[in-house]
Each structure stands twice: as structure tokens, then as C-alpha cells.
């Protein structure tokens, strides 16, 4: 069974005269697979990721999304997370006054509770965070601060991957996780992501740059334009896009 | 002037005037004269209403429907059963029940060298010299709550911290209302902190849930040169109660004063703070937070008078409004002509959770000096949707996400409390409030 099945998804910005952004998008993701989505600015990549995570600024007007056999669009935001959907944000937000450790723990325990699992003990939690943070080069001082508060752009991206590593989702959606990362950080973050690759976990990696896909090697590459997937292929498609750009797709769709 | 026609007196005004006919004679001629003058001022001016600028949003003439009989002494066992606030903070505890100190529940033994604590009743009976300072701090305007307190309070706590004394353990005055009939309690306290001394004073207010009692408390703080005073307040009166507090500060040179007021209880609460910055180079911070729900109404009003050069003042007030609660913040900073190099900043922020909640913000600056840095600001809004989404996208429920964000919001003000035990107790009270939210 597919982990994620998006069928002919149409969505617009909420409100009566909201502009349609997704215009019949279909995508099937099986456990263990890594799908890369590339496409010009404004083609709807972040919108897709927000709709999967449950942001209510958008209204789905047609189509269906099935996650692990259930209707994803019917679920509350936090329910989706507990079921295993994780979005690493393109622009992670700062949450002043909520310490990173408090936040991580609240999130992990809330998810476990919803799944009927026991809360993690304090020592187990601290050990888990320390180990995962170490791998990603996140120091204790950052963990003590408010969530993302005063983090640099690259640090914010790393913190997103730390959250992912701790929450262990089934579906990881990475929205431009590579933007803002220096060369070394790109390697560290990619290693963090690769460590999470497993036969029962899938990833959707949104990126503008082929470079990331050298580190996180995808099984499929999709080109998105004007709210639809206009071409799919293997990892070599990313190289072709790098060389030729999106001109031919934009003409097709116009 | 004489031609002004007094409107018909409300039942509450009539009742209070009745109480003011028989004033206590304790304390000698100066104190008796203060009581008489305060009673006269009340009889002349009555309760404030919305056309009185300082009470514009808290119309006591409407909100205080009746004058309640004066509270009678409470049974010790009952007070003991009722008290619950700030019990384990490590502070020295003094219990004032229904406006009178309860010696059986107060820890007045083994006072640290340099610390003197008397009940106001003892002080009025002639013990100690600190009494000379009582009633010397004047707001410079008619204040009905303070006038009633001056006229009617007969007990409270008189604390003196000697020059240079470093008192690590806070003194906590726990105001507890006990009884089954709604009554009015008045308490008056005086805290004199000698030059160079360091002291932490806490006060809390509580009473039986559902009882429509009235509490009127006033505390005067006389802060010496280079002294350091922290004041921590927690008001959790019954949601049916009327709570009126007045805080008066007179601050010397190069002193450090920080006060934090946390308001969670009372149906109607008004706290008025008057501070005179009378000595150069002092630093003051007057902060507060309110957590309001149902139909609660809470008003924090402060008047700050920069009289001399070189002082720094900071105010940060956070108000959380659920349901149809109403919050009021009024802050007035006056910078006198002589008060050059004043650095004053005042901020009021409200977080609105309830659809019918309302916040009134009125920050004001009155500046007569030309070389100053002053600013104020006020914000009022709902919880940021993007923040909520971020937390929920990680699996945190809507209610828990709101709680975390509300806690972070008031936390910024609570964090300013220096004493660990008191700060942690306040954080716990905020958590309890959030946990009780439906
Ligand atoms: N809340 C919104 N209000 C108005 N327009 C929106 C909103 N959200 C998205 N859009 C518009 O929808 C289109 C798709 O935006 P989206 O952010 O999904 O693009 P993207 O493919 O992620 O682009 P990029 O590569 O620049 O990140 C854009 O034209 C954007 O301006
Ligand atoms: Mg995007």
C-alpha cells in the first residue's frame, strides 16, 4: 500500500475569490522512497507541503489525499503529526518564550499519547536529544533558548532536522531544507536526513538545487509547474533541469 | 465651585459614609487627623466614576453596588484551612485575615538582625518609631480607594529594614479572607527600607471562592538611598470579590526597586501604583501580568513621577483575556523639568483569547525636561496563527499549543522576579490557570 496517495488535488487560497494554486496534482509515494520535487518559484511546492501538514489558509476544492490508508484531509493538524506527517519548514518560525527542550518534549509526548504510547522518561529524553543534537552540531545553548530564537538561517534548518530525528515521522517533507546552509552544514544535514532513511519511511524533498540530491539521492524526481506535476523521472532528471532550466515546461503550460 | 451639585449618593456611598462616622482613635493626633481628613475627602467626593479621568474604565460608582459591613476577626482554624497561596516559597509568612494580623499563623520569631516587624495595631498603640512614616506618601490627588483605606484600616504590617541590612529571606504578607458572609476588609502596611539595605517583600490575596467580599489594601514603601527592594504580589481573590489595592513608593538616590503584580482573581480588581522618584540615579521596574476569564475586570493603573535627574524606569504589563474579560492598563510617566537624563519606557501587551474580551490601554507621557529618553507602547491581539500552526504541526494539541504560547507571553513578565521560590510559585499559578481553562 502506498504511504501517501495524492489524487487530482485542487486547492486555492481560502476565501471566496481565492486564487487556485494546485490544479490537479497527483503523486504516489511508497514506504522507503525518496521523491524530489523541483520547480520554478511560485509553482506551488510550499503550498502542497502546507496542505499536507494541515494549514488552514488553503481550501481543497477537489481531489483526495490518502495517508496510510486514511483520509488525510479530514485530520486535525496535530493528528496528522501523530500519524507521522512531518514538514520541515522552508521558513522555520521563532517561538519566543518556549524553550526548545520544553517544545521538543511536549511534541514528542503529545504524539506518543495520541498513539497510545507511554511518555518518555526525563533521562531517556535528555539522552535522545543530546545524541541527536550532537550529530547535527546543535549545542546545549541553542537547546536552552526559545525555539529558533536568534538562530541563524542555517541553524534553523538544522533545528528542523533535529525535530524530525526526535519525532521519527513516517513521511518527511523537506521544504528547501538546503537553502541557507553552508557547504559543511549541507553535508551534516544531509547525513542527518540519510540516517533517517528506512524501508518504512518516505521523504519528499523540495529543492531548487541538484547539489542537495548528490547527498540525498532520490528515487524519483518530479517537476512541478503551475500547480501540477508536469514531468517525473529518475535522479538524472535533476541533472537535466540543472543544465536546461524550466523554460520548456513553462512554455508547455502557458 | 460650591455650586457643583452632588449627584444623588449611591447606596454604597451612603453605606461607606455610615462606616466613616465612627473612626478609630488609635495612633495619636497625627494619625487621627489623617483618618479624619480622608473620611472628609470621601464624603466630599464619593466613589469615582467614568468622568474621573483616572477611573475612566473602572467606574467604581457602578461596579461597587453596596458597602459591606466591616469584616470581623476570623477563626484561626478556618484561616489556616483557607490559606493556600505561596506556602512553600521559603519566605517568612505573616497572615492578615479579614484585615487583622493573626499572630498564631505568623512567623515573627528569630527576626534577622536589622529586621523589625510589628503589626500596625501594635505600632498605632505606640510601639516603635517607624509609625512617623505612615501616611506620609501622598498621591497628590484624591484617590477614593486610598482615602477609604486611610480612614478605615486599623491593622496590617509595619516593617523596617535597618541601614545596610541584607535580608535574604523574603517577608510574605498573606491576606486571607475567611468567613461565610460577604464583608469588607481594610489593611494598611508600611515598609521602610534603610539606606543600602536589601529586602524582598511579597503579598498575596485570597478568599473563599464564590464569596462576594471586598478587600482594600494599601502599602507604603519608603526606599532609602542605594537600597534594593523587590516586591512580589499575587492576587487570587474570589471571582465574585472586589479588590482594591494601592501601592505608594518613595524612592531615594541610586536605589533599585522592582515590583511585580500578578492578578488572577477578583471579579473587579483595581491596583493603583504611585511612585515618586525623589533621588537621582535610581532604577525602577514596575511589571505586572493578569490572567482574566469569565466576566472579570482588572485595572492596573500607575503614576510615575520623575522628579530628579538620571533615573531609569521600566514598565512591562502583560494581560491575557479569555471569554468576555476586560483589562485596563493606564500608565502615566511625568518627567519634571529638573529630571534631565531620564530614561523611561512603558509597555503594555494584551493577548486576547476570548471573542468578547476587551482591553483598554492608556499610556501617557508628560515631559517637561528636554534631555530625556522616554517611550511607551501598547499592543493587543490574538495568538499568532503561524505560531499555533507550527506547534500543532509537531503534534501538540490546540489547547496545549495555546497554553504554551500564553505561558511564554506572561512568562516574559514573570521572569523579571528575582527570588527563585517566589518566581517558581508564580509560574505554577500561571500553569494552574491554564490547566483549568476549558
Ligand atoms: N497565503 C497566500 N496568499 C496569497 N498568495 C499565496 C499564499 N500562499 C501562496 N500564495 C501564492 O501561491 C503561489 C505558490 O506559492 P508557493 O509558496 O507554494 O510556491 P513555491 O513553489 O513554494 O515557490 P518557491 O520556490 O519560491 O518557494 C505563489 O504565487 C504565491 O504567491
Ligand atoms: Mg516554497
Amino acid at each position: 500500500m502506498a504511504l501517501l496517495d495524492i489524487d487530482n488535488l485542487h486547492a486555492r487560497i481560502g476565501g471566496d475569490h481565492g486564487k487556485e494554486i494546485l490544479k490537479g496534482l497527483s503523486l504516489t509515494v511508497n514506504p522507503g522512497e525518496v521523491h524530489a520535487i523541483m520547480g520554478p518559484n511560485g509553482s506551488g511546492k510550499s503550498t502542497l507541503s502546507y496542505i499536507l501538514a494541515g494549514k488552514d489558509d488553503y481550501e481543497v476544492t477537489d481531489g483526495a489525499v490518502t495517508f496510510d490508508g486514511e483520509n488525510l484531509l479530514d485530520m486535525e493538524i496535530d493528528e496528522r503529526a501523530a500519524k507521522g506527517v512531518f514538514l520541515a519548514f522552508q521558513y522555520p518560525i521563532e517561538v519566543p518564550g518556549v524553550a526548545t527542550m520544553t517544545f521538543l518534549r511536549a511534541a514528542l509526548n503529545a504524539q506518543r499519547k495520541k498513539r497510545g504510547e507511554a511518555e518518555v522518561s526525563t533521562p531517556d529524553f535528555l539522552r535522545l536529544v543530546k545524541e541527536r543534537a550532537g550529530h547535527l552540531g546543535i549545542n546545549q545553548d541553542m537547546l536552552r533558548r526559545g525555539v529558533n530564537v536568534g538562530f541563524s538561517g542555517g541553524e534553523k534548518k538544522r533545528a528542523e532536522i533535529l525535530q524530525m530525528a526526535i519525532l521519527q515521522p513516517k513521511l518527511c517533507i523537506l521544504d528547501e531544507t538546503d537553502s541557507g546552509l553552508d557547504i559543511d552544514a549541507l553535508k551534516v544535514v544531509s547525513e542527518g536526513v540519510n540516517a533517517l532513511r528506512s524501508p518504512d519511511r518516505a521523504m519528499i524533498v523540495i529543492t531548487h538545487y541538484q547539489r542537495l540530491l548528490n547527498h540525498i539521492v532520490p528515487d524519483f524526481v518530479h517537476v512541478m509547474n503551475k500547480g501540477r506535476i508536469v514531468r517525473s523521472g529518475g535522479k538524472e532528471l535533476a541533472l537535466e533541469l540543472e543544465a536546461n532550466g524550466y523554460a520548456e515546461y513553462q512554455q508547455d503550460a502557458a | 465651585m460650591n455650586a457643583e451639585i452632588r449627584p444623588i449618593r449611591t447606596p454604597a456611598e451612603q453605606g461607606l459614609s455610615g462606616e466613616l462616622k465612627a473612626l478609630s482613635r488609635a495612633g495619636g493626633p497625627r494619625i487621627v487627623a489623617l483618618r479624619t481628613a480622608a473620611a472628609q475627602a470621601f464624603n466630599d467626593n464619593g466613589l469615582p466614576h467614568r468622568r474621573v479621568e483616572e477611573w475612566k474604565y473602572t467606574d467604581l460608582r457602578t461596579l461597587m453596588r453596596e458597602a459591606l459591613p466591616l469584616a470581623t476577626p476570623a477563626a484561626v482554624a478556618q484561616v489556616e484551612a483557607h490559606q493556600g497561596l505561596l506556602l512553600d516559597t521559603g519566605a517568612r509568612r505573616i497572615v492578615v485575615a479579614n484585615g487583622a494580623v493573626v499572630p498564631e499563623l505568623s512567623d515573627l520569631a528569630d527576626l534577622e538582625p536589622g529586621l523589625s516587624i510589628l503589626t500596625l495595631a501594635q505600632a498605632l498603640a505606640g510601639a516603635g518609631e517607624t509609625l512617623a512614616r505612615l501616611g506620609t506618601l501622598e498621591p497628590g490627588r484624591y484617590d477614593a480607594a486610598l482615602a477609604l483605606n486611610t480612614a478605615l484600616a486599623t491593622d496590617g504590617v509595619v516593617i523596617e529594614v535597618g541601614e545596610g541590612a541584607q535580608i535574604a529571606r523574603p517577608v510574605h504578607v498573606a491576606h486571607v479572607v475567611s468567613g461565610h458572609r460577604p464583608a469588607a476588609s481594610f489593611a494598611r502596611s508600611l515598609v521602610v527600607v534603610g539606606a543600602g539595605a536589601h529586602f524582598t517583600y511579597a503579598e498575596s490575596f485570597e478568599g473563599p471562592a464564590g464569596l462576594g467580599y471586598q478587600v482594600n489594601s494599601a502599602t507604603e514603601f519608603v526606599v532609602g538611598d542605594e537600597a534594593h527592594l523587590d516586591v512580589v504580589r499575587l492576587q487570587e481573590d474570589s471571582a465574585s470579590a472586589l479588590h482594591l489595592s494601592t501601592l505608594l513608593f518613595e524612592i531615594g538616590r541610586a536605589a533599585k526597586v522592582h515590583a511585580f503584580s500578578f492578578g488572577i482573581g477578583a471579579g473587579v480588581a483595581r491596583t493603583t501604583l504611585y511612585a515618586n522618584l525623589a533621588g537621582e540615579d535610581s532604577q525602577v521596574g514596575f511589571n505586572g501580568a493578569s490572567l482574566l476569564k469569565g466576566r472579570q475586570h482588572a485595572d492596573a493603573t500607575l503614576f510615575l513621577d520623575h522628579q530628579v535627574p538620571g533615573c531609569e524606569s521600566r514598565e512591562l504589563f502583560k494581560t491575557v483575556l479569555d471569554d468576555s474579560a476586560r483589562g485596563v492598563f493606564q500608565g502615566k510617566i511625568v518627567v519634571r523639568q529638573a529630571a534631565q537624563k531620564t530614561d523611561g519606557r512603558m509597555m503594555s501587551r494584551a493577548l486576547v483569547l476570548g471573542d468578547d474580551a476587551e482591553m483598554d490601554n492608556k499610556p501617557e507621557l508628560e515631559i517637561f525636561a528636554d534631555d530625556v529618553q522616554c517611550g511607551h507602547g501598547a499592543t493587543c491581539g490574538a495568538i499568532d496563527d503561524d505560531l499555533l500552526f507550527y506547534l500543532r504541526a509537531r503534534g501538540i494539541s490546540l489547547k496545549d499549543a495555546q497554553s504554551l504560547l500564553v505561558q511564554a507571553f506572561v512568562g516574559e513578565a514573570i521572569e523579571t522576579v528575582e527570588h527563585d521560590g517566589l518566581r517558581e510559585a508564580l509560574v505554577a499559578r500561571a500553569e494552574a490557570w491554564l490547566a483549568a481553562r476549558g
Side-chain angles (χ1 to χ4, degrees):
Chain A
M1 187 179 64
L3 179 64
L4 177 74
D5 189 51
I6 305 174
D7 181 27
N8 188 33
L9 187 64
H10 288 256
R12 63 182 189 195
I13 295 158
D16 284 347
H17 305 287
K19 167 171 128 190
E20 185 166 59
I21 299 175
L22 299 188
K23 302 170 181 171
L25 185 141
S26 296
L27 177 68
T28 302
V29 178
N30 290 303
E33 293 175 353
V34 173
H35 292 245
I37 298 182
M38 305 181 81
N41 294 133
S43 54
K45 303 180 298 295
S46 292
T47 302
L48 172 65
S49 68
Y50 279 143
I51 288 173
L52 294 177
K55 198 169 190 215
D56 56 14
D57 299 13
Y58 307 95
E59 188 188 336
V60 172
T61 51
D62 200 5
V65 181
T66 311
F67 181 73
D68 230 358
E70 292 182 84
N71 180 353
L72 184 72
L73 300 177
D74 269 357
M75 296 179 202
E76 291 289 332
I77 303 163
D78 40 306
E79 204 181 338
R80 297 177 193 210
K83 288 252 154 73
V85 176
F86 182 96
L87 166 61
F89 287 81
Q90 182 173 2
Y91 302 108
I93 189 169
E94 298 193 6
V95 192
V98 179
T100 305
M101 287 301 264
T102 309
F103 169 73
L104 286 172
R105 193 165 179 182
L108 181 60
N109 281 332
Q111 292 200 12
R112 294 179 66 97
K113 202 171 129 195
K114 278 201 196 83
R115 295 195 292 256
E117 298 163 11
E119 296 200 343
V120 279
S121 71
T122 305
D124 284 351
F125 174 73
L126 293 176
R127 207 173 308 122
L128 177 71
V129 175
K130 203 172 166 199
E131 186 222 340
R132 300 283 148 92
H135 290 317
L136 288 162
I138 291 172
N139 60 34
Q140 292 298 311
D141 170 60
M142 285 169 69
L143 294 172
R144 267 191 296 271
R145 272 191 258 162
V147 176
N148 294 327
V149 174
F151 288 18
S152 73
E155 286 170 343
K156 283 181 185 164
K157 296 301 180 76
R158 266 188 270 179
E160 292 287 291
I161 302 306
L162 172 64
Q163 292 178 27
M164 194 166 96
I166 284 167
L167 296 172
Q168 302 269 320
K170 281 187 191 155
L171 175 66
C172 308
I173 306 163
L174 308 178
D175 191 358
E176 293 195 29
T177 296
D178 51 340
S179 66
L181 290 180
D182 65 44
I183 297 158
D184 294 338
L186 183 71
K187 249 181 106 184
V188 170
V189 163
S190 303
E191 279 163 15
V193 173
N194 284 330
L196 285 165
R197 283 182 83 152
S198 96
D200 38 38
R201 180 174 292 131
M203 299 189 178
I204 296 176
V205 180
I206 298 169
T207 183
H208 285 296
Y209 304 106
Q210 199 275 331
R211 194 185 51 184
L212 176 71
L213 304 180
N214 287 338
H215 295 282
I216 306 172
V217 181
D219 301 298
F220 303 94
V221 174
H222 308 277
V223 180
M224 188 161 168
N225 190 43
K226 297 198 174 155
R228 312 170 53 163
I229 287 178
V230 293
R231 192 172 160 200
S232 299
K235 59 173 190 267
E236 64 292 340
L237 179 54
L239 290 167
E240 189 189 314
L241 292 171
E242 182 94 343
N244 304 335
Y246 296 113
E248 72 175 280
Y249 306 102
Q250 284 169 317
Q251 273 160 18
D252 287 356
Chain B
M1 277 294 169
N2 289 334
E4 194 197 332
I5 298 162
R6 280 278 294 131
I8 297 164
R9 294 177 150 251
T10 65
E13 287 173 332
Q14 286 171 29
L16 286 163
S17 290
E19 301 289 2
L20 293 171
K21 281 186 183 127
L23 298 175
S24 159
R25 310 292 305 164
R30 188 182 70 87
I31 301 290
V32 170
L34 281 176
R35 282 196 199 103
T36 312
Q40 190 56 51
F42 181 82
N43 285 329
D44 291 346
N45 299 282
L47 290 170
H49 46 82
R50 61 180 190 283
R51 289 185 309 283
V52 175
E53 192 59 23
E54 301 95 284
W55 294 80
K56 188 169 162 184
Y57 303 105
T58 302
D59 183 338
L60 262 198
R61 204 174 272 180
T62 311
L63 291 168
M64 188 171 175
R65 285 192 206 92
E66 51 174 347
L68 297 173
L70 294 183
T72 50
V76 174
Q78 237 182 39
V79 177
E80 206 171 3
H82 275 147
Q83 61 178 5
L85 294 180
L86 305 182
L87 289 172
D88 305 308
T89 61
R92 179 186 291 280
R93 189 175 175 85
I94 298 166
V95 175
V96 177
N98 296 357
V101 175
V102 184
E104 296 89 333
L105 299 176
S106 300
D107 178 5
L108 292 164
D110 302 322
L111 297 181
E112 294 91 329
L115 177 64
S116 131
I117 305 178
L118 292 175
T119 70
L120 178 65
Q122 285 171 334
L124 290 171
E129 288 158 20
T130 315
L131 193 62
R133 299 308 310 257
L134 188 79
T136 58
L137 304 197
E138 269 298 315
R141 49 165 61 74
Y142 169 67
D143 179 319
L146 181 63
L148 288 169
N149 185 283
T150 301
L152 295 170
T154 53
D155 206 358
V157 181
V158 175
I159 299 174
E160 183 164 16
V161 183
E163 239 173 67
Q166 308 294 306
I167 312 293
R169 188 179 176 204
V171 172
H172 167 209
V173 178
H175 295 263
V176 182
V177 169
S178 180
H180 302 289
R181 294 229 180 81
S185 320
F186 296 84
R188 180 67 164 250
S189 295
L190 170 66
V191 178
V192 178
V193 185
H198 187 169
F199 185 57
T200 301
Y201 175 83
E203 56 184 23
S204 63
F205 299 87
E206 62 189 310
L211 194 70
Y213 58 88
Q214 297 171 351
V215 167
N216 181 325
S217 162
T219 308
E220 293 174 71
F221 299 90
V222 180
V223 185
D225 294 344
E226 293 173 38
H228 182 165
L229 169 68
D230 287 323
V231 178
V232 181
R233 310 177 67 246
L234 173 62
Q235 185 272 106
E236 290 204 44
D237 275 316
S238 144
S240 316
L242 169 70
H243 174 105
L244 301 172
S245 310
T246 312
L247 304 171
L248 298 134
F249 289 86
E250 167 104 354
I251 298 165
R253 184 185 48 77
K256 277 199 175 108
V257 176
H258 177 267
F260 177 78
S261 292
F262 199 12
I264 296 178
V268 175
R270 155 83 171 209
T271 301
T272 316
L273 186 153
Y274 299 98
N276 279 341
L277 288 148
E280 296 182 18
D281 302 325
S282 284
Q283 287 173 13
V284 303
F286 295 118
N287 301 338
S290 299
L291 298 174
L292 308 173
K293 62 185 178 189
R295 297 174 52 78
Q296 282 181 293
H297 173 119
D299 176 334
T301 291
L302 53 106
F303 296 92
L304 221 65
D305 194 347
H306 280 270
Q307 301 174 338
V308 294
C311 290
E312 181 189 290
S313 62
R314 293 285 179 273
E315 292 78 42
L316 176 65
F317 277 76
K318 297 281 189 110
T319 309
V320 176
L321 299 143
D322 205 351
D323 305 320
S324 45
R326 172 126 190 241
V328 178
F329 172 80
Q330 302 185 99
K332 183 169 186 174
I333 303 181
V334 177
V335 182
R336 309 267 168 179
Q337 201 167 4
Q340 300 294 359
K341 306 278 181 207
T342 289
D343 176 354
R345 249 158 254 290
M346 173 160 60
M347 177 56 86
S348 163
R349 292 191 189 282
L351 190 62
V352 180
L353 304 177
D355 292 337
D356 302 314
E358 187 186 327
M359 181 75 198
D360 292 295
N361 270 316
K362 201 180 77 183
E364 276 179 282
L365 288 172
E366 224 171 75
I367 301 175
F368 302 99
D370 48 26
D371 182 16
V372 301
Q373 276 199 341
C374 286
H376 64 69
T379 63
C380 179
I383 297 186
D384 187 322
D385 280 336
D386 290 334
L387 289 175
L388 272 181
F389 176 64
Y390 190 78
L391 268 58
R392 295 185 72 197
R394 296 298 178 248
I396 300 171
S397 70
L398 175 61
K399 194 179 161 251
D400 289 349
Q402 286 176 336
S403 289
L404 278 172
L405 294 172
V406 169
Q407 226 167 292
F409 176 80
V410 293
E412 190 191 350
I414 298 177
E415 286 300 301
T416 62
V417 172
E418 211 167 280
H419 187 267
D420 293 338
L422 290 167
R423 187 184 56 250
E424 283 157 19
L426 297 183
V427 169
R429 296 315 298 157
E431 284 169 1
W433 187 86
L434 288 163
R437 248 188 109 223

